[in-house]
Amino acid sequence: MSDPLRICFCASEVVPYAKTGGLADVAGALPRALAELGCDVRIVVPAYRAVDREKFRFRATGQAEVALGDARVPVRFFESRLPGSAVPVHLVANDRLFDRPGLYGEGGRDYPDNLERFSAFCRAALALLRHTGWPPHVLHCHDWQTALLPVYLRVEPRDPLLAATGTLFTIHNLAYQGLFPRERLRATGLGPRLFTPDGIEFYGQINLLKGGLIFADLLNTVSEQYAREIQTPEFGAGLDSLLRERAATLIGILNGVDYAAWDPSTDPLIPARYTPQDLAGKSVCKEQLQRGLGLEVGARIPLIGMITRLADQKGLDLVSSAIETILGLGAQFALLGAGDPVYEARFQEIGARRAGQAAASLGFDEPLAHRIEAGADMFLMPSRYEPSGLNQLYSLRYGTVPIVRRTGGLADTIVDAGPEALARGTANGFVFEPYAADALLGAVARALVMFRDAVVWRRLHATGMRQDFSWGRSAAKYVAAYQRVIAAAGAAGHKTISDEPST
């Protein structure tokens, strides 16, 4: 097409404004990369309390009313630019819905009105497009919080402005589906005809993510391996049958890395910079990390880092079972994360009891995350499943050798340091497959043996640090996906599926 691709990103969190996980990193970095490829990209995100409107220079641009069940609620619009780019960012504000301490909940509990909050957000995103008069070629929706957008566009009469707009729905983590009681269907504005097994009904509940899977023009997830895995009962979270039905319109595109933020040669958050040719700065980073965490200082003491949400998905049950043996092998362990209170207490206790050898820092600390990536010798990611993973990619660039389980994006990016891969120069980490503590220990033990061989370890450093997982490559694949969406939407003619009014 002659004019630039117009892409509207609709996401529930975006770096640097609000973040709970990898979705925010993607929504903050991919639009920049798309803009560099010539796309006209705009971002829509809720105006949470965490968003500093003054710091990021947001200005008011208008207001509207949107339907929420039988009522109409006011929303206000604000606009700024994504820092370091010309990409417009639009906030959707309603203080009753979004001016809260958390994004989705507090104290480990979801907000009980999340269905209402994100139904209103989806309605407001469409109202914003009408307000600006800007018709995107593709509405790029992310996870369950925006899954109603493809539903509204297919089920309800379309605004003429959006007559040609297609939808791409990205699954960042299939396990989070937006499940709510059927009695609250009215809040979505959808009629009972949609509450069927062929619609958004799921074992007697509303399933918002399912709506996106059914009604979007194209589906994608964040690695090729995960796209295959979620079509199986083991990883499909009850939706594998639907995903197999849509297999022809489901693709995997690996997440990229924002090397402007994650590169040891320029990183301002680490005590010394370094490159693949000169690793002296990494030794400084390790020493400073050991001192800062109260660990014994020693260049030849292997230090394993881990930055994660403390949940079973991330393999914390394996780590909890294996940690005493790992420490008994002479390794140090540095953990940064938050989540399940049981794991928080477990690793704090280990840090207190094994002071000098283990340290647990609870919460989210961006500078410390960078220091762990730079200062650790190895990085542990024993995930039960991992849609894409970013920390293994950060670790490669920082010369911190990943130890991972073969699943999802970890399987797509980490090549085990077996004899053949070492000989070919393709090995960049250590991989185990069975989800078992013994398998994890076997991979850690192999890594500790190779750590003592300076020549082999330097080869692993060099292989990982020279690999390119930048967003530019992934962005080009997204452009191809958008073109596919446009073609599919044009062929379908965007016929609206009639629905009965809510009762």
Side-chain angles (χ1 to χ4, degrees), residues 136-178:
H137 292 110
V138 178
L139 191 58
H140 190 163
C141 310
H142 300 263
D143 275 353
W144 70 263
Q145 294 90 345
T146 62
L148 282 175
L149 280 162
V151 183
Y152 290 149
L153 286 178
R154 289 289 304 280
V155 168
E156 300 180 344
R158 283 188 183 227
D159 188 291
L161 180 77
L162 304 178
T165 297
T167 52
L168 173 65
F169 185 67
T170 298
I171 308 156
H172 293 268
N173 190 331
L174 190 69
Y176 298 93
Q177 299 181 2

Side-chain angles (χ1 to χ4, degrees), residues 153-309:
L153 286 178
R154 289 289 304 280
V155 168
E156 300 180 344
R158 283 188 183 227
D159 188 291
L161 180 77
L162 304 178
T165 297
T167 52
L168 173 65
F169 185 67
T170 298
I171 308 156
H172 293 268
N173 190 331
L174 190 69
Y176 298 93
Q177 299 181 2
L179 299 175
F180 300 95
R182 63 180 301 170
E183 294 79 16
R184 292 169 58 194
L185 181 66
R186 185 185 298 272
T188 68
L190 299 171
R193 182 176 174 183
L194 266 293
F195 192 77
T196 68
D198 293 329
I200 62 173
E201 185 271 339
F202 185 74
Y203 296 99
Q205 292 183 289
I206 299 166
N207 186 321
L208 296 187
L209 184 132
K210 187 182 176 189
L213 299 183
I214 293 171
F215 290 104
D217 293 303
L218 185 68
L219 308 176
N220 91 286
T221 190
V222 290
S223 71
E224 294 180 6
Q225 177 69 12
Y226 192 59
R228 293 187 289 269
E229 289 175 348
I230 60 177
Q231 297 179 56
T232 69
E234 182 181 0
F235 295 100
L239 295 170
D240 52 289
S241 175
L242 171 57
L243 289 162
R244 287 194 298 273
E245 289 176 13
R246 294 220 61 189
T249 55
L250 170 63
I251 60 175
I253 302 176
L254 186 70
N255 282 341
V257 174
D258 181 1
Y259 287 127
W262 292 94
D263 190 320
S265 67
T266 57
D267 192 340
L269 298 178
I270 61 177
R273 261 62 69 197
Y274 57 93
T275 67
Q277 295 75 35
D278 182 1
L279 291 171
K282 185 166 180 64
S283 299
V284 175
C285 290
K286 179 176 180 177
E287 179 183 344
Q288 292 298 313
L289 180 65
Q290 288 172 321
R291 292 188 187 281
L293 295 178
L295 303 175
E296 180 184 352
V297 176
R300 298 308 303 159
I301 303 173
L303 172 53
I304 300 173
M306 191 172 187
I307 304 167
T308 186
R309 181 164 41 87

Side-chain angles (χ1 to χ4, degrees), residues 462-501:
T463 300
M465 294 183 77
R466 70 169 178 256
Q467 289 185 278
D468 180 11
F469 290 99
S470 62
W471 269 112
R473 186 167 54 176
S474 297
K477 294 182 179 180
Y478 272 104
V479 168
Y482 297 144
Q483 292 168 338
R484 202 175 148 185
V485 168
I486 293 166
H494 279 142
K495 294 179 181 178
T496 296
I497 301 170
S498 62
D499 184 33
E500 302 167 9

Side-chain angles (χ1 to χ4, degrees), residues 16-17 50-58 79-81 83:
Y17 310 111
V51 182
D52 190 331
R53 297 181 207 170
E54 182 176 348
K55 173 183 175 182
F56 293 111
R57 299 181 179 180
F58 280 95
E79 182 181 351
S80 186
R81 293 290 183 272

